[in-house]
mmCIF file of all heavy atoms in Angstrom:
data_model
loop_
_atom_site.group_PDB
_atom_site.id
_atom_site.type_symbol
_atom_site.label_atom_id
_atom_site.label_comp_id
_atom_site.label_asym_id
_atom_site.label_seq_id
_atom_site.Cartn_x
_atom_site.Cartn_y
_atom_site.Cartn_z
ATOM 1 N N ASP A 3 18.146 6.126 -7.685
ATOM 2 C CA ASP A 3 18.155 5.477 -6.374
ATOM 3 C C ASP A 3 16.947 5.849 -5.542
ATOM 4 O O ASP A 3 16.849 5.456 -4.388
ATOM 5 C CB ASP A 3 19.434 5.845 -5.608
ATOM 6 C CG ASP A 3 20.656 5.184 -6.208
ATOM 7 O OD1 ASP A 3 20.511 4.117 -6.827
ATOM 8 O OD2 ASP A 3 21.756 5.741 -6.059
ATOM 9 N N GLN A 4 16.032 6.630 -6.111
ATOM 10 C CA GLN A 4 14.872 7.052 -5.338
ATOM 11 C C GLN A 4 13.963 5.858 -5.052
ATOM 12 O O GLN A 4 13.641 5.077 -5.938
ATOM 13 C CB GLN A 4 14.081 8.116 -6.088
ATOM 14 C CG GLN A 4 12.899 8.636 -5.282
ATOM 15 C CD GLN A 4 12.056 9.616 -6.057
ATOM 16 O OE1 GLN A 4 11.830 9.450 -7.246
ATOM 17 N NE2 GLN A 4 11.577 10.634 -5.368
ATOM 18 N N LEU A 5 13.598 5.734 -3.802
ATOM 19 C CA LEU A 5 12.666 4.701 -3.384
ATOM 20 C C LEU A 5 11.270 5.090 -3.836
ATOM 21 O O LEU A 5 10.863 6.242 -3.670
ATOM 22 C CB LEU A 5 12.695 4.571 -1.857
ATOM 23 C CG LEU A 5 11.651 3.669 -1.219
ATOM 24 C CD1 LEU A 5 12.024 2.211 -1.460
ATOM 25 C CD2 LEU A 5 11.553 3.947 0.263
ATOM 26 N N SER A 6 10.564 4.159 -4.425
ATOM 27 C CA SER A 6 9.148 4.398 -4.715
ATOM 28 C C SER A 6 8.349 3.381 -3.920
ATOM 29 O O SER A 6 8.745 2.230 -3.768
ATOM 30 C CB SER A 6 8.844 4.298 -6.209
ATOM 31 O OG SER A 6 8.969 2.985 -6.658
ATOM 32 N N VAL A 7 7.238 3.847 -3.394
ATOM 33 C CA VAL A 7 6.433 3.015 -2.516
ATOM 34 C C VAL A 7 4.961 3.294 -2.760
ATOM 35 O O VAL A 7 4.582 4.412 -3.117
ATOM 36 C CB VAL A 7 6.811 3.254 -1.033
ATOM 37 C CG1 VAL A 7 6.529 4.662 -0.608
ATOM 38 C CG2 VAL A 7 6.157 2.267 -0.115
ATOM 39 N N ALA A 18 -0.070 8.487 7.777
ATOM 40 C CA ALA A 18 1.186 8.879 8.429
ATOM 41 C C ALA A 18 2.391 8.275 7.704
ATOM 42 O O ALA A 18 3.411 8.957 7.503
ATOM 43 C CB ALA A 18 1.174 8.449 9.889
ATOM 44 N N LEU A 19 2.284 7.026 7.292
ATOM 45 C CA LEU A 19 3.381 6.404 6.544
ATOM 46 C C LEU A 19 3.607 7.101 5.210
ATOM 47 O O LEU A 19 4.750 7.383 4.835
ATOM 48 C CB LEU A 19 3.087 4.923 6.320
ATOM 49 C CG LEU A 19 3.254 4.028 7.531
ATOM 50 C CD1 LEU A 19 2.656 2.659 7.265
ATOM 51 C CD2 LEU A 19 4.717 3.904 7.900
ATOM 52 N N ALA A 20 2.535 7.378 4.490
ATOM 53 C CA ALA A 20 2.668 8.059 3.203
ATOM 54 C C ALA A 20 3.330 9.424 3.387
ATOM 55 O O ALA A 20 4.220 9.804 2.620
ATOM 56 C CB ALA A 20 1.299 8.205 2.538
ATOM 57 N N ARG A 21 2.926 10.163 4.416
ATOM 58 C CA ARG A 21 3.535 11.477 4.673
ATOM 59 C C ARG A 21 5.024 11.349 5.012
ATOM 60 O O ARG A 21 5.831 12.174 4.594
ATOM 61 C CB ARG A 21 2.804 12.190 5.797
ATOM 62 C CG ARG A 21 1.525 12.803 5.345
ATOM 63 C CD ARG A 21 0.919 13.770 6.365
ATOM 64 N NE ARG A 21 -0.250 14.362 5.749
ATOM 65 C CZ ARG A 21 -1.478 13.840 5.813
ATOM 66 N NH1 ARG A 21 -1.701 12.736 6.508
ATOM 67 N NH2 ARG A 21 -2.483 14.432 5.204
ATOM 68 N N ALA A 22 5.376 10.327 5.763
ATOM 69 C CA ALA A 22 6.788 10.119 6.098
ATOM 70 C C ALA A 22 7.608 9.858 4.832
ATOM 71 O O ALA A 22 8.706 10.405 4.673
ATOM 72 C CB ALA A 22 6.931 8.959 7.080
ATOM 73 N N PHE A 23 7.087 9.048 3.924
ATOM 74 C CA PHE A 23 7.789 8.805 2.661
ATOM 75 C C PHE A 23 7.900 10.094 1.852
ATOM 76 O O PHE A 23 8.961 10.394 1.296
ATOM 77 C CB PHE A 23 7.091 7.713 1.843
ATOM 78 C CG PHE A 23 7.246 6.345 2.421
ATOM 79 C CD1 PHE A 23 6.133 5.602 2.779
ATOM 80 C CD2 PHE A 23 8.502 5.777 2.614
ATOM 81 C CE1 PHE A 23 6.260 4.333 3.312
ATOM 82 C CE2 PHE A 23 8.644 4.507 3.152
ATOM 83 C CZ PHE A 23 7.513 3.776 3.502
ATOM 84 N N LEU A 24 6.831 10.861 1.788
ATOM 85 C CA LEU A 24 6.862 12.125 1.051
ATOM 86 C C LEU A 24 7.878 13.099 1.653
ATOM 87 O O LEU A 24 8.600 13.770 0.918
ATOM 88 C CB LEU A 24 5.468 12.766 1.024
ATOM 89 C CG LEU A 24 4.435 12.062 0.151
ATOM 90 C CD1 LEU A 24 3.042 12.598 0.438
ATOM 91 C CD2 LEU A 24 4.797 12.208 -1.328
ATOM 92 N N ARG A 25 7.921 13.175 2.979
ATOM 93 C CA ARG A 25 8.877 14.075 3.646
ATOM 94 C C ARG A 25 10.312 13.739 3.290
ATOM 95 O O ARG A 25 11.187 14.602 3.295
ATOM 96 C CB ARG A 25 8.716 14.004 5.170
ATOM 97 C CG ARG A 25 7.733 14.978 5.729
ATOM 98 C CD ARG A 25 7.852 15.131 7.233
ATOM 99 N NE ARG A 25 7.878 13.890 7.974
ATOM 100 C CZ ARG A 25 6.797 13.204 8.360
ATOM 101 N NH1 ARG A 25 5.593 13.649 8.064
ATOM 102 N NH2 ARG A 25 6.916 12.080 9.024
ATOM 103 N N HIS A 26 10.559 12.477 2.989
ATOM 104 C CA HIS A 26 11.910 12.046 2.641
ATOM 105 C C HIS A 26 12.094 11.922 1.124
ATOM 106 O O HIS A 26 13.020 11.244 0.666
ATOM 107 C CB HIS A 26 12.251 10.745 3.364
ATOM 108 C CG HIS A 26 12.390 10.943 4.842
ATOM 109 N ND1 HIS A 26 13.525 11.466 5.416
ATOM 110 C CD2 HIS A 26 11.518 10.743 5.855
ATOM 111 C CE1 HIS A 26 13.349 11.562 6.725
ATOM 112 N NE2 HIS A 26 12.142 11.129 7.016
ATOM 113 N N ASP A 27 11.217 12.595 0.391
ATOM 114 C CA ASP A 27 11.321 12.704 -1.073
ATOM 115 C C ASP A 27 11.256 11.374 -1.809
ATOM 116 O O ASP A 27 11.890 11.196 -2.840
ATOM 117 C CB ASP A 27 12.589 13.466 -1.473
ATOM 118 C CG ASP A 27 12.563 14.895 -0.980
ATOM 119 O OD1 ASP A 27 11.488 15.514 -1.020
ATOM 120 O OD2 ASP A 27 13.623 15.388 -0.535
ATOM 121 N N HIS A 28 10.474 10.437 -1.270
ATOM 122 C CA HIS A 28 10.257 9.176 -1.970
ATOM 123 C C HIS A 28 8.984 9.274 -2.807
ATOM 124 O O HIS A 28 7.974 9.813 -2.351
ATOM 125 C CB HIS A 28 10.135 8.023 -0.970
ATOM 126 C CG HIS A 28 11.353 7.841 -0.128
ATOM 127 N ND1 HIS A 28 12.604 7.623 -0.666
ATOM 128 C CD2 HIS A 28 11.524 7.860 1.211
ATOM 129 C CE1 HIS A 28 13.487 7.509 0.309
ATOM 130 N NE2 HIS A 28 12.859 7.652 1.461
ATOM 131 N N ALA A 29 9.064 8.776 -4.016
ATOM 132 C CA ALA A 29 7.878 8.742 -4.878
ATOM 133 C C ALA A 29 6.838 7.865 -4.187
ATOM 134 O O ALA A 29 7.101 6.705 -3.883
ATOM 135 C CB ALA A 29 8.235 8.185 -6.243
ATOM 136 N N THR A 30 5.670 8.427 -3.929
ATOM 137 C CA THR A 30 4.652 7.744 -3.133
ATOM 138 C C THR A 30 3.334 7.708 -3.891
ATOM 139 O O THR A 30 2.816 8.752 -4.284
ATOM 140 C CB THR A 30 4.462 8.461 -1.776
ATOM 141 O OG1 THR A 30 5.734 8.546 -1.119
ATOM 142 C CG2 THR A 30 3.482 7.720 -0.898
ATOM 143 N N GLU A 46 -0.002 17.073 -1.194
ATOM 144 C CA GLU A 46 1.344 17.105 -0.611
ATOM 145 C C GLU A 46 2.389 16.457 -1.521
ATOM 146 O O GLU A 46 3.563 16.399 -1.174
ATOM 147 C CB GLU A 46 1.341 16.419 0.751
ATOM 148 C CG GLU A 46 0.496 17.151 1.777
ATOM 149 C CD GLU A 46 0.327 16.374 3.073
ATOM 150 O OE1 GLU A 46 1.289 15.716 3.518
ATOM 151 O OE2 GLU A 46 -0.784 16.436 3.642
#
Side-chain angles (χ1 to χ4, degrees):
D3 289 333
Q4 183 184 39
L5 172 75
S6 69
V7 63
L19 285 168
R21 282 192 176 89
F23 289 121
L24 289 168
R25 270 195 311 276
H26 291 281
D27 296 321
H28 300 303
T30 305
E46 295 172 38

